[in-house]
């Protein structure tokens, strides 16, 4: 039985087969794993002396749960299998398609990365699962906020969540300058750094410089 399994068993079967035997098993585990603290030792000694009184056992069980969370209940970083891919999240429309084809895609390809836009992929099953999978497999996500599409914010949120799990994905927020000035982006990201561009050539110049910096 691994240390992780031992600790889980002590938590799941607290005070079994008896309070006295359980507390000695807890003490042995903490000694074996060098996890004991002054607080834990005090609780253990009180339980040895007085048994299951004054909530000593409940306090020790709570302490063991905290120990489990610190040692073992960590979020695992999803594996990355497509390290040369950049995911592009943006509004689907005729004018934005031109921005993608003549702006985003050539810049990404010029830096030796593959551009991924979910509507270009053939797949079966859940589109949400595909989106999450492709974002997880990308080194960066570009979220163009032009149009304030909910799906774009959702996809940017997935990247933010991955970053909290220490995933190395980079998040780049962009927006057309005229849309940003006239319509505004969502309040939650209005204070974030957003690459603003006037047209395709302006986007290409600014995005190339930014990606070269963050993807070194």
């Amino acid at each position: 039985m691994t240390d992780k399994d031992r600790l889980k068993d002590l938590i799941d079967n607290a005070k079994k087969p008896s309070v006295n035997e359980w507390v000695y098993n807890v003490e042995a585990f903490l000694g074996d794993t060098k996890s004991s603290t002054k607080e834990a030792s005090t609780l253990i000694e009180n339980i040895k002396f007085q048994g299951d009184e004054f909530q000593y056992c409940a306090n020790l069980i709570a302490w063991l749960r905290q120990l489990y969370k610190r040692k073992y209940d960590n979020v695992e970083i999803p594996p990355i299998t497509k390290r040369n891919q950049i995911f592009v999240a943006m509004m689907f429309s005729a004018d934005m398609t031109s921005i993608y084809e003549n702006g985003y895609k050539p810049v990404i390809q010029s830096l030796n990365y593959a551009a991924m836009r979910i509507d270009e992929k053939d797949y079966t099953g859940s589109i949400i699962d595909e989106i999450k999978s492709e974002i997880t497999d990308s080194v960066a996500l570009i979220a163009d906020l032009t149009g304030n599409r909910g799906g774009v914010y959702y996809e940017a949120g997935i990247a933010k969540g991955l970053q909290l799990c220490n995933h190395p994905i980079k998040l780049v927020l962009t927006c057309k300058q005229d849309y940003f000035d006239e319509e505004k982006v969502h309040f939650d990201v209005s204070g974030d750094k957003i690459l603003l561009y006037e047209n395709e050539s302006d986007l290409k110049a600014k995005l190339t410089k930014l990606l070269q910096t963050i993807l070194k």
Side-chain angles (χ1 to χ4, degrees):
M1 183 181 290
T2 66
D3 288 342
K4 180 179 179 180
D5 292 334
R6 286 177 65 194
L7 180 53
K8 190 174 189 305
D9 183 65
L10 289 169
I11 295 169
D12 291 344
N13 298 291
K15 301 189 284 186
K16 296 178 181 178
S18 67
V19 169
N20 187 59
E21 187 171 343
W22 173 76
V23 77
Y24 276 96
N25 288 336
V26 170
E27 185 176 44
F29 170 81
L30 297 181
D32 292 343
T33 59
K34 297 180 173 57
S35 302
S36 189
T37 65
K38 184 177 180 180
E39 178 186 3
S41 296
T42 299
L43 290 169
I44 288 170
E45 289 306 314
N46 285 333
I47 295 169
K48 285 181 180 179
F49 181 69
Q50 299 189 48
D52 188 12
E53 294 184 23
F54 308 112
Q55 297 301 307
Y56 287 133
C57 283
N59 291 341
L60 181 57
I61 294 165
W63 187 91
L64 291 173
R65 288 197 178 106
Q66 292 174 2
L67 176 65
Y68 186 93
K69 186 173 183 180
R70 289 195 305 270
K71 290 176 70 72
Y72 305 117
D73 195 16
N74 298 315
V75 178
E76 296 183 358
I77 302 173
I80 306 171
T81 60
K82 300 173 183 174
R83 295 184 180 273
N84 68 328
Q85 177 172 285
I86 296 178
F87 191 99
V88 181
M90 62 190 302
M91 175 174 66
F92 299 148
S93 65
D95 59 331
M96 292 305 291
T97 295
S98 178
I99 290 291
Y100 175 69
E101 292 293 341
N102 302 310
Y104 289 118
K105 184 180 282 188
V107 168
I108 291 169
Q109 292 175 341
S110 72
L111 298 174
N112 297 317
Y113 291 93
M116 160 54 64
R117 203 170 78 162
I118 198 63
D119 64 321
E120 294 185 330
K121 181 180 180 181
D122 293 327
Y123 60 89
T124 58
S126 168
I127 186 173
I128 298 301
D129 289 343
E130 286 295 325
I131 288 171
K132 289 189 291 186
S133 175
E134 292 297 343
I135 293 175
T136 299
D137 283 341
S138 299
V139 296
L141 184 144
I142 300 171
D144 193 315
L145 305 178
T146 307
N148 275 339
R149 291 297 190 266
V152 175
Y153 284 100
Y154 174 77
E155 289 156 2
I158 293 174
K160 284 271 193 180
L162 288 170
Q163 289 176 337
L164 292 175
C165 300
N166 296 320
H167 189 290
I169 190 170
K170 307 295 183 181
L171 175 60
V172 177
L173 301 179
T174 66
C175 188
K176 279 188 174 181
Q177 182 74 62
D178 56 357
Y179 185 87
F180 184 84
D181 293 338
E182 297 170 10
E183 302 294 335
K184 308 298 182 186
V185 296
H186 196 279
F187 174 79
D188 288 347
V189 298
S190 59
D192 292 352
K193 183 178 180 180
I194 301 174
L195 186 155
L196 302 176
Y197 61 92
E198 300 282 353
N199 48 45
E200 293 169 5
S201 60
D202 186 38
L203 171 63
K204 290 174 72 174
K206 292 178 177 177
L207 185 62
T208 299
K209 184 177 181 181
L210 178 59
L211 291 180
Q212 286 175 333
T213 299
I214 67 173
L215 295 177
K216 285 182 179 179

